Amino acid sequence: MDGKKKEEILRLLESNARYSAKDIAAMLGLDITEAKNEIETMEKERVICGYHALVDWDKTDDEKISALIELKVTPQRGEGFDRIAEKIYQYPEVESLYLMSGGYDFTVILKKATMKEIASFVSSRLAVIEEVQSTATHIVLVRYKDHGTSLAAPKKDMRMVVTP
């Protein structure tokens, strides 16, 4: 299968992971078996790494919050940032980990934790890593858009109907 069709499959699955191979085949004009085989191949090659549901936890009774933690670190000779990243992403509390440009080297995202759990994670897990120079913790107050999906309720038209 050509690279363009693979990208189209990936874009469709990224926009809606619930699309079946049959749906994708119909949308792209492919044979169902061809679409299914290509998806399976991309899963085996870890091009497709997983499937997720986007949940708006603010609409539930869950009181836990998300945090974004910036880390400044000292990279290791011959290993750069990879060994440090491996130490950090092994923690089950870590939702995402990114190597960044700018004032900080890493951004760590923790989801679904209490303030106490976040504070404990930063002080007892991150700050004690030898290569970590400093941290800056930010609490997510409101998520308006996540993974390309708007979580904000659409504005209702509050204008009154005027008739002649």
Side-chain angles (χ1 to χ4, degrees):
M1 179 176 293
D2 71 21
K4 187 175 181 192
K5 287 291 185 193
K6 288 180 181 183
E7 280 186 33
E8 289 174 354
I9 291 172
L10 292 171
R11 290 193 199 295
L12 286 170
L13 286 172
E14 189 175 48
S15 71
N16 185 349
R18 295 185 70 179
Y19 284 142
S20 67
K22 181 179 177 183
D23 296 332
I24 290 170
M27 288 186 266
L28 300 179
L30 301 172
D31 176 68
I32 296 171
T33 304
E34 182 182 16
K36 183 179 179 195
N37 289 342
E38 190 57 43
I39 292 167
E40 288 175 358
T41 298
M42 288 190 287
E43 289 170 344
K44 287 177 189 164
E45 293 173 349
R46 303 253 327 130
V47 173
I48 298 173
C49 301
Y51 298 90
H52 303 276
L54 179 58
V55 177
D56 188 350
W57 288 102
D58 292 340
K59 293 182 179 170
T60 70
D61 293 334
D62 192 294
E63 295 290 327
K64 294 184 178 181
I65 58 174
S66 299
L68 184 146
I69 305 162
E70 296 173 311
L71 299 176
K72 194 175 286 189
V73 302
T74 304
Q76 298 301 294
R77 181 184 303 244
E79 297 183 34
F81 295 100
D82 293 344
R83 191 176 62 77
I84 302 165
E86 189 174 353
K87 285 181 185 178
I88 296 167
Y89 70 65
Q90 297 296 328
Y91 292 121
E93 300 92 334
V94 174
E95 178 75 20
S96 301
L97 175 65
Y98 305 104
L99 179 63
M100 308 294 291
S101 64
Y104 287 88
D105 300 305
F106 286 110
T107 297
V108 179
I109 298 177
L110 301 184
K111 287 196 176 183
K112 309 303 295 145
T114 65
M115 282 292 278
K116 190 175 191 173
E117 290 167 338
I118 292 168
S120 175
F121 180 78
V122 172
S123 63
S124 66
R125 301 242 176 138
L126 292 180
V128 298
I129 297 173
E130 184 179 330
E131 298 85 0
V132 172
Q133 296 174 11
S134 65
T135 67
T137 302
H138 310 277
I139 303 303
V140 176
L141 301 176
V142 177
R143 289 185 314 151
Y144 294 104
K145 188 173 186 178
D146 198 346
H147 290 84
T149 301
S150 174
L151 301 176
K155 300 274 186 198
K156 292 184 180 179
D157 189 351
M158 301 301 286
R159 297 179 292 179
M160 296 177 70
V161 176
V162 177
T163 56

